[in-house]
Amino acid sequence: MEQAFLQFLANQTTSLAAGSVGIGDDAAMLSWGAEQKLVVCTDLISDETDFLLHEVTPQQIGRKALAINLSDIAAMACEPVGALLTLLLPQGESSLDLAKGIYEGAAELAESYGCPIIGGDTNSWPGKVAVSVTVLGRCPGPQPLLRQGAQPGDAIAVTGKLGGSILGHHLSFEPRVREALELHQNFHLNAGMDISDGISIDLPRLCQQSRVGAEIDARLLPISDAAHQRSEKTGKPAWWHALNDGEDFELLFTLPAEQMDRLATQWTESVPITKIGTVREASPLMLIDLEGTRQPLLPEGFSHQ
């Protein structure tokens, strides 16, 4: 299977910058500016944890595997440059078609973000599908956006809408690479990350790195239609799903209050940005519910076991 897959890869066309070497040699090579910082992220997804093989296409698996890494690059307001794709596939005759489909799904998304697949590996075993992607990126400015740096009084904001990702968004979301670059270049952001496990788990991670507390207002959350659908099924409030469902892969960031005011009047992109709370000096993290009552923000988001 491996040799047949390598032959398939050899016939694929990939856009590479001048002076770069992609799939076909023992290692890839990328041109790199002497003053530019390298950023690297990697993530692994697998059958029955991040997707159900019998419910999705191979292309959807490949797309998600790359997209979650592009979201991590976006979280640091950086530009993706190239990706490595590694496949661990079930033994059997269907493995080659599965490998091709996964690559195709990743390659299509890679092309749209200027992030060619430049290498990787493949193997088979008597188990389930697992896909690992590593993305290399560059920092266009002097410093990437980090989780540390949030200041008391900062506005807490998010892109897009939240909740209900299990109904399909976790397979089809757009990494916020372009939005992150524009935000970081035109507004003074203090800290940021992406929302992978839900605000109730991810925001405490940012606050811990920044050594601050926070207060989130459930009345301000941008709730997706899917979160409302989940609410009808589970009986939990739609705002609960917006806080806890996870795999939204939207940006979560903080910025000074005056910058938030300027952002609210000057942001013209189609992806909405919403203020959802305020950074405070100390923990615990708090939630204002729909009745205006303050209560602890409980970490009820998705946790990988």
Side-chain angles (χ1 to χ4, degrees):
M1 189 278 290
E2 184 175 11
Q3 289 303 314
F5 184 52
L6 289 175
Q7 184 59 50
F8 165 78
L9 293 177
N11 295 328
Q12 306 304 303
T13 58
T14 302
S15 299
L16 288 170
S20 299
V21 175
I23 295 173
D25 279 85
D26 292 302
M29 181 177 71
L30 295 173
S31 299
W32 214 267
E35 301 301 319
Q36 290 184 317
K37 291 182 173 62
L38 168 70
V39 293
V40 184
C41 65
T42 189
D43 215 322
L44 173 75
I45 65 173
S46 59
D47 185 18
E48 296 189 2
T49 298
D50 304 282
F51 57 86
L52 297 174
L53 183 60
H54 65 278
E55 293 184 358
V56 301
T57 66
Q59 288 78 9
Q60 287 176 311
I61 296 171
R63 187 189 189 283
K64 179 173 183 176
L66 178 61
I68 59 179
N69 283 276
L70 292 178
S71 184
D72 284 335
I73 294 292
M76 301 185 74
C78 292
E79 300 171 329
V81 175
L84 303 171
L85 174 68
T86 297
L87 308 178
L88 186 58
L89 304 168
Q91 294 171 343
E93 295 181 359
S94 63
S95 290
L96 179 57
D97 288 339
L98 183 57
K100 289 179 179 179
I102 291 172
Y103 174 85
E104 289 167 352
E108 182 178 358
L109 184 68
E111 185 71 19
S112 66
Y113 283 91
C115 180
I117 297 174
I118 57 174
D121 197 11
T122 182
N123 210 332
S124 59
W125 73 315
K128 298 184 182 299
V129 179
V131 184
S132 177
V133 171
T134 298
V135 170
L136 309 175
R138 62 167 59 100
C139 180
Q143 293 294 335
L145 183 64
L146 303 177
R147 295 181 184 184
Q148 65 186 49
Q151 300 295 315
D154 275 4
I156 302 170
V158 296
T159 57
K161 295 188 177 182
L162 308 175
S165 63
I166 192 64
L167 298 185
H169 178 76
H170 74 109
L171 295 170
S172 61
F173 70 91
E174 286 293 336
R176 300 305 188 192
V177 174
R178 300 180 183 96
E179 292 80 5
L181 290 170
E182 182 171 350
L183 284 165
H184 199 39
Q185 290 168 4
N186 296 298
F187 302 91
H188 178 73
L189 308 189
N190 281 333
M193 64 184 301
D194 69 336
I195 304 171
S196 57
D197 296 331
I199 288 177
S200 69
I201 286 182
D202 289 327
L203 179 60
R205 292 166 174 162
L206 185 151
C207 289
Q208 182 179 25
Q209 289 292 315
S210 293
R211 299 183 179 182
V212 294
E215 185 175 82
I216 296 297
D217 193 333
R219 298 168 295 186
L220 301 178
L221 293 170
I223 302 172
S224 70
D225 291 340
H228 287 288
Q229 294 177 41
R230 291 282 293 158
S231 176
E232 293 174 0
K233 184 175 182 179
T234 65
K236 294 180 179 179
W239 62 261
W240 185 95
H241 286 283
L243 282 176
N244 297 299
D245 280 354
E247 296 216 311
D248 295 303
F249 298 106
E250 296 291 351
L251 301 175
L252 170 67
F253 58 96
T254 82
L255 69 173
E258 66 274 11
Q259 289 289 305
M260 185 69 229
D261 292 339
R262 187 166 71 86
L263 175 58
T265 60
Q266 295 183 6
W267 185 254
T268 59
E269 299 298 319
S270 59
V271 176
I273 292 178
T274 307
K275 176 184 175 181
I276 62 169
T278 305
V279 176
R280 301 301 187 193
E281 288 190 0
S283 57
L285 276 65
M286 303 300 293
L287 170 71
I288 301 174
D289 65 21
L290 299 187
E291 286 71 44
T293 303
R294 296 177 78 251
Q295 56 187 276
L297 177 64
L298 301 177
E300 298 180 281
F302 179 77
S303 178
H304 290 83
Q305 298 297 324

